[in-house]
Amino acid sequence: SKLEKGCAVEPDPYAGKIPTPSIPGSCTTSGARDGSNHVLQPGKHCSVNFNGTPTITFAPGLHIISGPMMIGSGANIVAEGVTFYFPDSNSELRANGQLRIKATAPTSGPYAGILMFEKAGGNKTPFIFNGSLGEQLEGVIYLPNRNVTYNSKTNIQSNRISLVANTVIVNNANWNFQGFGSGGNEERMVYLSR
């Protein structure tokens, strides 16, 4: 009964404030990857497809995802102190269900606090989070050109996360926000801004 319609759009708090990285000419990682364990160093990852149910560790730093990065069902991702950059509308990071991920943004440097981002003003394209067993995310997810969809049953635990997107569709998700305040304060807060 308290739903407001026709609200004015709030200004984008991150527009023009995140430095755009230089894109390397060569790829650090590309093509199909088999095996159970992978460690990816910072750099440009071009159209990578991980087969099977791997554990993928992203070393701390900036990871540029050029083209789709497809991750098999049941994968485990560790990305602590990491920023993912998507340079164009074809870039995405997608797991095919049963994913476990722990991802945190850097605490210092030019991308401090930024977990995922792209340049504003591109084509509007989908960015899909398929069903997961657990997602522990911390940082800003800045995807202003994306229509974000949470499919299947997605389990998300977050204590510091901001999401900027063109649209958000939640088909089925369990959100568990940990205490947001300092000093053990268990205040839980969700703020939706159009």
Side-chain angles (χ1 to χ4, degrees):
S1 63
K2 296 182 181 179
L3 179 67
E4 294 183 39
K5 297 181 179 179
C7 303
V9 177
E10 293 293 323
D12 184 341
Y14 300 103
K17 295 181 180 176
I18 305 173
T20 302
S22 299
I23 308 298
S26 59
C27 300
T28 305
T29 312
S30 63
R33 298 286 166 177
D34 296 315
S36 58
N37 291 293
H38 303 274
V39 177
L40 300 185
Q41 297 302 319
K44 180 179 170 186
H45 311 291
C46 305
S47 301
V48 184
N49 184 15
F50 291 96
N51 297 316
T53 56
T55 294
I56 306 163
T57 302
F58 291 88
L62 178 65
H63 292 264
I64 300 168
I65 310 298
S66 179
M69 179 177 279
M70 306 302 287
I71 300 170
S73 178
N76 182 42
I77 297 176
V78 179
E80 297 183 82
V82 165
T83 297
F84 294 103
Y85 177 62
F86 305 100
D88 56 58
S89 59
N90 294 320
S91 301
E92 66 172 321
L93 180 65
R94 186 184 300 190
N96 294 317
Q98 304 300 306
L99 169 73
R100 288 189 188 277
I101 179 171
K102 183 176 183 183
T104 61
T107 57
S108 62
Y111 302 108
I114 307 297
L115 182 60
M116 299 180 184
F117 78 105
E118 66 181 355
K119 286 193 295 186
N123 295 328
K124 301 299 186 276
T125 57
F127 197 97
I128 299 170
F129 293 90
N130 283 319
S132 69
L133 297 175
E135 296 180 25
Q136 295 180 346
L137 306 174
E138 184 174 316
V140 173
I141 299 175
Y142 183 66
L143 303 174
N145 309 325
R146 305 301 174 113
N147 299 318
V148 174
T149 301
Y150 288 92
N151 277 330
S152 189
K153 190 168 186 178
T154 302
N155 294 284
I156 302 166
Q157 287 189 309
S158 300
N159 60 356
R160 288 190 178 100
I161 186 171
S162 295
L163 172 63
V164 176
N166 183 53
T167 63
V168 178
I169 297 172
V170 180
N171 288 323
N172 190 353
N174 294 326
W175 292 82
N176 180 15
F177 290 95
Q178 317 251 327
F180 189 75
S182 62
N185 183 350
E186 286 302 318
E187 176 184 358
R188 296 174 188 215
M189 180 174 64
V190 178
Y191 174 69
L192 299 177
S193 176
R194 182 171 179 228

